[in-house]
Amino acid sequence: MKNLLKKRIIIPILAFTVFFTGTAFKNDFFEIAKQIEIFTTLFKELNMNYVDETNPGDLMDTAIKSMLADLDPYTNFMNEQDVEAARINNTGDYTGIGARVKTFKDKLVIIEPYKDYPADKAGLKAGDEIIKVGDIVIETYKENTGDLLKGASDTSVEVTYKRQGKTHTATIKRAEVEIKAVPHFSMVNNKTGYIVLSRFNNKAHYETNYALRDLKAQGAERIILDLRGNPGGLLNEAIKIVNLFVPKGQLVVTTKSKVKKYNKTYYTQSEPIDTEIPLVVLIDGNSASASEIVSGSLQDLDRAVIVGARSFGKGLVQRPKQLTYGTQVKITISRYYTPSGRCIQSLDYWNRNEKGEAVRVKQENYNEFKTKNGRKVFDGGGVFPDVIFNASKNSAITNAIVNSDLVFNYGTDYYYKNNLTDINGLKLSDTDFSNFKNYLKTNKFSFNTDTEKTLYKAFEAATKEELNDNIEKDFNTLITNLKLAKTSVIDENKDYLLELLTEDIVKRYVYREGLYEYYKVNDPRIKKATEILSNTTTYLNYLK
């Protein structure tokens, strides 16, 4: 009992020590100390006197997450497992089975096996459902099931998995896994090089530098840099990648914070590789953070033509702070600004709507800035491409389809029903799209819009007030029309959904490496980028 009490008292004292030694809150020290004391006494009394047994760790975890939820989604508490995941993300190195895995309550699903890594060598494929690791059944395991696949290099793990309803076993020999920042680079044609930069880990600049030099040696006279789907990462890597294409001493990004030491200006530090080579940067709605620093600064400096869809709009900078027992807190410390002075943050987490949701900055509130050549650019909504390819027309419904794993699961079914030989010639048809819509119905895809939720709530209130008999017919008509409208929204997003399906299916046959080769032949954005780069006058006109 004494040890338990010690633990209960030590946690708040340690928290107090962390706060006491900080610097950002000096002016509010008394208020912070007061609130910590209130919380300390509350936490102690609750754990000592509550009618049932409490779990101090779980209570503290809930308290921390609830507190941080009122800030922004990037300010997070990180336990020891989270800290290790962040290390892997920043270095790209870990030991494991070499596959992207999704955790469910009763299974581990292989999302993507990496070519020539252990899971692939053992014969596992995307869609395989691991139900047992060694003698441990996933469904009954109470700890983090993802950890079961981890282990030292050269150790083996036996897995039992289901594939298309049949049960199989495999022995996987773990190995060192390297996740490349640049998973692919090659020539699109005899004068155009193509570089895919998928993440900003601590190898991003080195690998991009290598790819650029190699392509130039192969005869590349223009470059396509693909940042689509790149969620960002290390700020310094982004600056160094910009430096490949702009002179030493060029302002790339400025960070502004309430803490003076975080107010910094970042300039390029090295001699560039090539300041003249024509450059197109591809972005989409999942290009975020460091990707937006690279694309936004190159746009501001009129150093590249930006092609694709509007980027995500994350203009916030985080920094991890060490806590006790191997934990960390990742705190949003500043906003960043591109060379023109714009911040591309799209969601306002500090002035929320009546539901407590962050709201998107309205277009009428965007501020105008000028590039080096005097072109108009705007803040408040991500990086706007110079050449726009529209993405999803209704992200809520398409995101719901993706998040329900229905695109992924349809890809699994397609793979086992179709023996394709010419992957680069794959073109999904209207029939394929109809099949996919039927697949959504068969798998009972449902997505309740805010409109539906409001209508059901209103009808429920009418029922309580015994007014429902008068409006039930109209209510049912509205609900029917809404369902028809949702179906039409799926049809409106046909091209977008077919792209997602195609990407997933191609990876089943030829891995991610083959997907980039498929892009070079079939992707309309790469075709447009190649077209822009092939005509010097057209390219320069975009930058004037």
Side-chain angles (χ1 to χ4, degrees):
M1 183 68 180
K2 285 184 178 179
N3 288 336
L4 183 60
L5 285 175
K6 280 183 181 179
K7 286 181 181 177
R8 290 173 176 169
I9 295 169
I10 284 172
I11 291 172
I13 289 174
L14 288 170
F16 180 83
T17 304
V18 171
F19 277 111
F20 183 80
T21 55
T23 57
F25 62 88
K26 285 181 180 177
N27 294 335
D28 300 318
F29 175 73
F30 175 76
E31 184 62 23
I32 292 172
K34 172 185 170 184
Q35 297 304 324
I36 290 174
E37 187 176 355
I38 292 171
F39 180 80
T40 300
T41 54
L42 179 150
F43 191 75
K44 181 178 71 174
E45 295 297 336
L46 180 66
N47 281 281
M48 291 178 68
N49 298 302
Y50 189 69
V51 62
D52 292 322
E53 280 297 315
T54 59
N55 185 316
D58 288 346
L59 286 174
M60 182 63 78
D61 192 58
T62 300
I64 291 170
K65 288 177 180 177
S66 297
M67 175 176 64
L68 298 182
D70 278 345
L71 301 176
D72 65 72
Y74 313 112
T75 298
N76 296 317
F77 172 71
M78 302 166 70
N79 59 30
E80 291 174 273
Q81 290 79 18
D82 296 330
V83 172
E84 174 61 12
R87 183 199 66 77
I88 291 171
N89 189 55
N90 287 339
T91 63
D93 297 329
Y94 71 99
T95 301
I97 67 168
R100 195 154 62 89
V101 179
K102 187 170 183 177
T103 303
F104 293 88
K105 288 183 179 179
D106 59 343
K107 60 191 174 185
L108 298 170
V109 177
I110 302 293
I111 300 298
E112 180 183 358
Y114 303 140
K115 186 178 181 181
D116 295 330
Y117 277 108
D120 181 40
K121 289 180 178 178
L124 270 72
K125 296 182 181 298
D128 288 348
E129 301 175 354
I130 297 174
I131 55 174
K132 192 175 175 183
V133 178
D135 295 325
I136 298 173
V137 177
I138 300 297
E139 190 172 12
T140 59
Y141 191 64
K142 302 300 182 185
E143 305 298 325
N144 184 2
T145 52
D147 291 340
L148 294 172
L149 298 176
K150 296 177 181 178
S153 185
D154 292 327
T155 61
S156 294
V157 58
E158 185 177 67
V159 298
T160 303
Y161 63 95
K162 286 186 176 180
R163 176 186 294 170
Q164 298 291 285
K166 294 182 180 180
T167 302
H168 307 267
T169 60
T171 299
I172 308 173
K173 189 175 183 180
R174 302 180 182 97
E176 293 289 334
V177 178
E178 179 187 6
I179 303 174
K180 289 185 174 293
V182 176
H184 179 89
F185 67 91
S186 62
M187 299 292 287
V188 175
N189 54 40
N190 61 352
K191 290 188 177 180
T192 307
Y194 174 56
I195 302 172
V196 179
L197 177 58
S198 63
R199 63 186 64 225
F200 286 85
N201 61 22
N202 61 11
K203 298 173 184 173
H205 167 257
Y206 171 81
E207 292 181 16
T208 308
N209 185 332
Y210 178 88
L212 179 59
R213 290 177 182 274
D214 189 286
L215 291 172
K216 283 172 63 70
Q218 292 183 50
E221 297 177 5
R222 46 231 187 193
I223 294 292
I224 301 169
L225 178 62
D226 195 341
L227 298 179
R228 290 176 295 176
N230 187 322
L234 302 175
L235 172 64
N236 287 333
E237 292 295 306
I239 295 162
K240 288 192 284 187
I241 286 168
V242 172
N243 196 175
L244 296 173
F245 303 102
V246 304
K248 180 179 179 179
Q250 171 64 55
L251 174 65
V252 175
V253 66
T254 303
T255 58
K256 296 180 183 179
S257 169
K258 73 172 184 179
V259 182
K260 287 185 179 179
K261 69 177 181 179
Y262 297 142
N263 293 336
K264 293 185 177 181
T265 52
Y266 294 87
Y267 295 86
T268 51
Q269 300 293 317
S270 306
E271 293 301 326
I273 301 299
D274 194 326
T275 61
E276 301 295 331
I277 191 167
L279 176 65
V280 167
V281 177
L282 303 181
I283 61 172
D284 65 11
N286 293 314
S287 304
S289 192
S291 292
E292 295 173 299
I293 289 174
V294 171
S295 55
S297 61
L298 290 172
Q299 186 180 52
D300 282 0
L301 299 171
D302 296 303
R303 181 61 189 87
V305 175
I306 313 300
V307 172
R310 183 175 73 173
S311 66
F312 183 82
K314 180 179 178 289
L316 305 174
V317 181
Q318 287 72 46
R319 175 169 294 189
K321 295 287 186 179
Q322 299 292 331
L323 302 178
T324 55
Y325 300 109
T327 62
Q328 294 181 5
V329 59
K330 188 174 66 172
I331 303 175
T332 297
I333 59 167
S334 57
R335 292 178 176 84
Y336 72 76
Y337 300 81
T338 60
S340 67
R342 57 179 169 150
C343 179
I344 48 77
Q345 177 65 25
S346 63
L347 289 175
D348 187 348
Y349 297 106
W350 300 273
N351 295 289
R352 298 173 183 252
N353 62 20
E354 62 277 3
K355 295 181 182 178
E357 300 167 333
V359 294
R360 185 172 288 277
V361 179
K362 294 181 180 178
Q363 191 165 346
E364 58 264 29
N365 295 328
Y366 291 172
N367 297 300
E368 181 182 306
F369 296 84
K370 294 289 179 68
T371 69
K372 187 176 180 181
N373 290 341
R375 294 187 298 145
K376 293 179 182 179
V377 288
F378 300 90
D379 66 0
V383 176
F384 287 84
D386 303 306
V387 181
I388 296 175
F389 281 77
N390 289 322
S392 166
K393 295 178 181 177
N394 188 306
S395 58
I397 290 179
T398 53
N399 284 345
I401 291 172
V402 173
N403 293 336
S404 299
D405 292 321
L406 291 168
V407 169
F408 176 79
N409 292 337
Y410 182 84
T412 302
D413 281 4
Y414 187 99
Y415 174 75
Y416 287 107
K417 290 176 180 176
N418 296 273
N419 184 23
L420 301 184
T421 54
D422 178 21
I423 300 302
N424 283 343
L426 174 65
K427 294 251 186 333
L428 295 184
S429 64
D430 290 345
T431 302
D432 291 311
F433 189 63
S434 294
N435 291 340
F436 178 65
K437 288 196 293 181
N438 289 331
Y439 184 83
L440 296 181
K441 290 178 184 177
T442 303
N443 286 271
K444 298 178 181 178
F445 169 69
S446 62
F447 175 74
N448 289 329
T449 63
D450 286 341
T451 306
E452 284 173 295
K453 292 174 186 175
T454 302
L455 283 173
Y456 278 115
K457 193 171 182 180
F459 187 73
E460 184 182 341
T463 302
K464 288 179 180 178
E465 295 173 357
E466 299 182 354
L467 299 172
N468 53 307
D469 288 344
N470 298 323
I471 65 171
E472 186 169 5
K473 183 178 179 181
D474 291 334
F475 169 76
N476 289 331
T477 300
L478 281 170
I479 293 298
T480 300
N481 288 338
L482 267 173
K483 288 179 179 178
L484 291 172
K486 286 196 292 185
T487 301
S488 69
V489 166
I490 292 175
D491 288 333
E492 288 170 6
N493 282 279
K494 173 185 172 182
D495 291 343
Y496 177 72
L497 288 167
L498 283 178
E499 279 189 8
L500 295 180
L501 289 166
T502 300
E503 290 175 6
D504 192 276
I505 290 166
V506 168
K507 283 190 294 183
R508 305 303 177 105
Y509 292 92
V510 289
Y511 303 90
R512 184 166 292 274
E513 290 82 352
L515 176 62
Y516 300 124
E517 292 296 335
Y518 179 88
Y519 281 161
K520 291 196 307 183
V521 176
N522 295 282
D523 187 76
R525 296 153 192 83
I526 292 179
K527 288 181 179 179
K528 183 64 177 180
T530 305
E531 176 189 317
I532 291 169
L533 290 168
S534 66
N535 188 311
T536 303
T537 302
T538 301
Y539 174 77
L540 292 176
N541 281 340
Y542 277 111
L543 302 177
K544 288 181 180 177

